[in-house]
Amino acid sequence: MITTTATRLGTPAPSGAQYIRMTSFDDERSSSDFPRSRSQSLSVQKSALDTTRRLSVSAAAGNEKPPAATRSRSSTYGRNSRSTQSFSHHEEHHTGFFLFNLILMLYDEYKAACRDGNLLVGIRVGYRPSLRKFRHLTGFAKANVALCTFVFLLVLYIIPVHLFFKLAIATALITVCTVPVLSQFFFYAMPVLAWVFFFFSASKFPQAWRPPISVKVLPAMENILYGDNLSNILAAYHNTFLDLLAWLPYGIVHFAGPFVVAALIWLFGPPTALRYFSWSFGYMNLLGVVMQQLAPAAPPWYKNLYGLAAANYGMSGSPGGLARIDKLFGFDMYTSTFSNSPIIFGALPSLHSACSTMSALWLSYLFPKFKICFIGYVCWLWWSTMYLTHHYFFDLTTGTAMAISFFYMVKLTYLPVRDPRCWCRFDYTEIKQYNLQDNDPLSDQANDDSGDVLEATVPRVVV
């Protein structure tokens, strides 16, 4: 029997159709896998009974045997309205705009979680500054705060602005980290903010602090490891189609992608997952910028323009192949930006490669069914960076290695285990973390019955 889904913004489903919950694009659950930790309310039970009776009458009119159980389509889309009957064949029929329906579904899940008193998914709305968060920090969190504070103070020291503006910046940082309605997001985003501050102030570092620029090491590494300059090979032939194909991941998706990934993690990942994305993404980029400052290296476009001549910090940057995009569209999108970039000689490591790999790893964590698509995106971006003469292949592999290292650092320590039965963050009632000791094949407890995860219910409000 074909089943059909009605939507909040669409037309009613056909008469006699079986109602099921409209799922997300990566809902791997069968109906028998739905968690049932929430107590079912009387109103939902009544709605399920009414729906079953109505469908039974419709099925009887068509001389069909009514189903033994159905999924009710009540005013909420939460787990309260999900039955445990499996249906082997069904087709989802969306009659409304998917994004609007998705927003409504998420809102209904949030309301259901609030009614059930689920403190894991609560959102604080206080506006009075508070230092309570800092009184109960772990040693790891204290080290995080200390390192980010050091970076902020260093940036405020070197940037050439009036003392009044420095105090205003410091006040803003303190405000977003102490006001509850803001700190629940910005406190854990401090590594990202530290990286952004450090990157845009990189050109303001005193000349005496800067090491000499390498123009020969990366071309030599490219020839030793791969036998030739792969960037020059890929960039030897170009046309408008290839330019646009390279521009999309390098010039568009790269800048908007992290915001989209962060939103998806917050909505569809376990509670507390977003803070570890911020940690891994922020410190990966911060370390990358530090490496670029300590060991500056010229990208492929420099060799194409100047050969192996010595470079200096007074030189302007180059957009490489992106100059053809500016010429194609008739206005300056990248020429001025790359010519006046805070870091001109930052080829190693490639943060474009690092960011794309980190995004692919986190999206694979959320939506494992589409892992091959995320891997394909990383390969696409690798090709585009070399085609546009912005990085050598050695730079790309180094950036990817950094991303993998930081991702698994958080995955094997603090990152919650994703529950495939939970559709969004509002469905989680407990947090599970990996237990490295139980997963260690050399441990004496490897064959213990304690399980492969450590369960911990968190009875407090988290983000």
Side-chain angles (χ1 to χ4, degrees), residues 148-262:
C148 292
T149 302
F150 171 77
V151 174
F152 290 139
L153 292 176
L154 176 63
V155 170
L156 291 176
Y157 172 74
I158 65 173
I159 56 176
V161 298
H162 195 273
L163 179 62
F164 172 79
F165 292 103
K166 294 183 178 182
L167 293 176
I169 295 173
T171 302
L173 289 172
I174 294 173
T175 300
V176 298
C177 291
T178 56
V179 175
V181 70
L182 300 175
S183 66
Q184 60 188 327
F185 298 103
F186 287 98
F187 177 80
Y188 300 105
M190 283 196 299
V192 178
L193 296 176
W195 156 59
V196 172
F197 274 58
F198 192 78
F199 172 79
F200 283 102
S201 63
S203 61
K204 308 302 179 184
F205 278 81
Q207 194 72 22
W209 294 10
R210 299 184 175 187
I213 303 167
S214 170
V215 298
K216 300 179 181 180
V217 172
L218 291 183
M221 290 294 296
E222 194 83 352
N223 282 280
I224 293 173
L225 294 176
Y226 312 113
D228 206 336
N229 189 325
L230 301 183
S231 177
N232 283 345
I233 294 175
L234 294 176
Y237 173 78
H238 57 82
N239 55 40
T240 301
F241 173 76
L242 293 177
D243 290 344
L244 292 174
L245 191 64
W247 165 65
L248 287 175
Y250 194 89
I252 300 296
V253 179
H254 170 75
F255 297 102
F259 297 99
V260 176
V261 173

